[in-house]
Amino acid sequence: MGNICARLKPKPSPTPSTTKKRSSNASRREKKLDDAAIREQAIAAAILFKQHQQQQQLQQRFDRSTSLRYPNGVSKRNNALPRSSSSRARSLTDPLLQPHQLVNQGIKVDDLEINHIVLVHGGGFGAWCWYKSIALLEESGYKVAAIDLTGSGVSSFDTNSITSLSQYVKPLTDFLEKLPEGEKVILVGHDFGGACISYAMELFPRKISKAIFIAAAMLTSGQSTLDIISQQAGSNDLMQQAQVFIYANGNDRPPTSFDLDKSLLRDLLFNQSPTKDVALASVSMRPVPFAPVLEKLSLSDMKYGSVRRFYIETLEDNAIPISLQENMINASPPEKVFRLKSADHSPFFSKPQALHKLLVEISKII
């Protein structure tokens, strides 16, 4: 009864201090609503951007795991250097140049033995991250495929349910398995995508002409990606601060995936990249499945070792520092090493033209 009476008792007239407090609370509520509206607008813009890309890709035979086009065009240069670097001053806007501005004219891409390039993203990324590289390569006449690995990009699979590297890499292995007999591709792997293309090289060595590792995990047989990451334990505080482990099976079980703190993404992955690309990544990146990172690879000289390997170093990389990249190169030397100056961990954003030039250059190495 007391509670009912209290609810029925008339409320006293508001005092000036009460009115002021309510006004302050209302202002805070309005600010929160404004902040929420801004976030929603940013997310909506990013979603519209991705949908626009997906609609274009659908018109170009894009399915849920692969973007594939068959354009005709010309590429331009025949000289290959043992080590190369970009000397162009960095621009945050980094406008896409025409193919003839990137490499000299001379050779038709159609005349190359292999002009089909398959792009494999790194941990947390998706096929979306290659949009600049796809545009440049297609304009140069290459046939390009960008793969969404399981639980990445537009894949609807739950990242926390991935229990093996083979499951994670299945979209890539399915793609290679379906290639016509005798057809070969150039595999390009970034970050954790390096371990993924290594796995594919062991399974399909006859379908892969060359493998290009971009700031990527290039493992030796018996190593896992975690083994590589452990080499920098204690020396890369930023990576340790950014990692957020997810325990979908309970805190008493091993983590099922890990995410990256959005507030540290720019410093860790995009310290040289345009703001618009950082914004795209912040609403597009997904957690990285943990089981594949733990898995040790079995790589043989007869299969994996038969594929020609090339490495592209990123000199301003805060995620996989140049010292760690050099360690992997020294442990398992590739055919040639190329260097990208002023490139962060995501050169497809920070140095797209310079990266494109190297991809074309490597594709032409006989």
Side-chain angles (χ1 to χ4, degrees), residues 99-136:
H100 69 271
Q101 295 176 279
L102 297 170
V103 282
N104 297 327
Q105 296 183 3
I107 293 179
K108 291 183 179 180
V109 170
D110 290 342
D111 293 339
L112 291 177
E113 182 185 358
I114 307 298
N115 66 359
H116 191 173
I117 295 179
V118 179
L119 304 170
V120 181
H121 63 81
F125 291 86
W128 52 267
C129 73
W130 298 106
Y131 78 94
K132 293 180 181 179
S133 297
I134 292 171
L136 288 167

Side-chain angles (χ1 to χ4, degrees), residues 226-237 239-240 321 324:
L226 183 63
D227 293 332
I228 294 294
I229 295 173
S230 299
Q231 292 180 17
Q232 60 175 332
S235 63
N236 193 342
D237 293 336
M239 175 63 81
Q240 293 181 11
L324 182 55

Side-chain angles (χ1 to χ4, degrees), residues 161-175:
S161 300
I162 297 172
T163 58
S164 67
L165 184 59
S166 62
Q167 183 183 16
Y168 180 60
V169 182
K170 193 173 187 302
L172 174 60
T173 54
D174 284 350
F175 175 87

Side-chain angles (χ1 to χ4, degrees), residues 201-240:
M201 290 158 67
E202 181 68 21
L203 288 180
F204 301 100
R206 294 183 180 179
K207 294 190 174 185
I208 303 164
S209 170
K210 297 169 185 171
I212 304 174
F213 294 75
I214 304 174
M218 188 169 65
L219 313 179
T220 58
S221 187
Q223 271 190 326
S224 69
T225 303
L226 183 63
D227 293 332
I228 294 294
I229 295 173
S230 299
Q231 292 180 17
Q232 60 175 332
S235 63
N236 193 342
D237 293 336
L238 185 58
M239 175 63 81
Q240 293 181 11

Side-chain angles (χ1 to χ4, degrees), residues 73-79 98-109 139-142 360 364:
V74 193
S75 126
K76 285 74 188 176
R77 184 177 173 186
N78 195 24
N79 294 329
Q98 295 301 313
H100 69 271
Q101 295 176 279
L102 297 170
V103 282
N104 297 327
Q105 296 183 3
I107 293 179
K108 291 183 179 180
V109 170
E139 286 172 1
S140 295
Y142 287 85
V360 171
K364 294 180 179 179

Side-chain angles (χ1 to χ4, degrees), residues 41-102:
Q41 289 172 0
I43 293 171
I47 290 172
L48 285 173
F49 174 74
K50 289 170 67 179
Q51 287 176 342
H52 174 67
Q53 284 186 307
Q54 291 169 7
Q55 287 171 358
Q56 287 183 322
Q57 291 165 339
L58 280 170
Q59 295 170 359
Q60 301 153 359
R61 298 183 183 180
F62 181 85
D63 60 25
R64 288 189 66 80
S65 64
T66 308
S67 172
L68 183 59
R69 287 180 66 183
Y70 301 84
N72 293 318
V74 193
S75 126
K76 285 74 188 176
R77 184 177 173 186
N78 195 24
N79 294 329
L81 302 175
R83 291 182 81 89
S84 177
S85 62
S86 165
S87 58
R88 183 178 62 83
R90 181 176 71 88
S91 168
L92 287 180
T93 54
D94 216 0
L96 295 181
L97 304 180
Q98 295 301 313
H100 69 271
Q101 295 176 279
L102 297 170

